[in-house]
Amino acid sequence: MDLWQLPDVRQALVNREFGRVCQLIRQHGGIRQDDMATITGLSQAFLSMLESGARKLTNIDKIIQLLEGLQAPLELTGPMLRPSIHHQPRGSTSATLSRL
């Protein structure tokens, strides 16, 4: 299942509600915050605060890190929120997300 095609996930991303994006990806994908931390490189504690609304994701580098880790499609994020073409993605990301 392509989680990025789900209307609620797409809407959360369009609205730049990154905590909600994480929450929805986890719910629809059946993964834990620990798994998402591994996928994105962001700490589980930070992801918990992000999902609860206690923290906002405003740092562009962390936004890129999150979107890259979650393999958000370019057509949803736009080129400004994507790493450069020279950046190499993590090896385990594709395998982990392909199971979702």
Side-chain angles (χ1 to χ4, degrees), residues 15-33:
N15 293 339
R16 302 295 187 237
E17 297 170 350
F18 299 111
R20 182 77 176 135
V21 168
C22 291
Q23 189 176 53
L24 291 168
I25 292 287
R26 285 191 327 95
Q27 287 173 354
H28 292 302
I31 61 174
R32 303 171 306 148
Q33 279 183 345

Side-chain angles (χ1 to χ4, degrees), residues 76-91:
L76 294 181
T77 63
M80 293 297 290
L81 295 180
R82 298 308 301 206
S84 73
I85 193 162
H86 301 292
H87 185 76
Q88 295 297 318
R90 290 175 191 77

Side-chain angles (χ1 to χ4, degrees), residues 1-15 17 20-21 24-25 28 76:
M1 171 194 320
D2 183 0
L3 301 177
W4 297 108
Q5 297 305 314
L6 297 172
D8 53 349
V9 175
R10 292 174 74 92
Q11 190 60 51
L13 184 58
V14 165
N15 293 339
E17 297 170 350
R20 182 77 176 135
V21 168
L24 291 168
I25 292 287
H28 292 302
L76 294 181

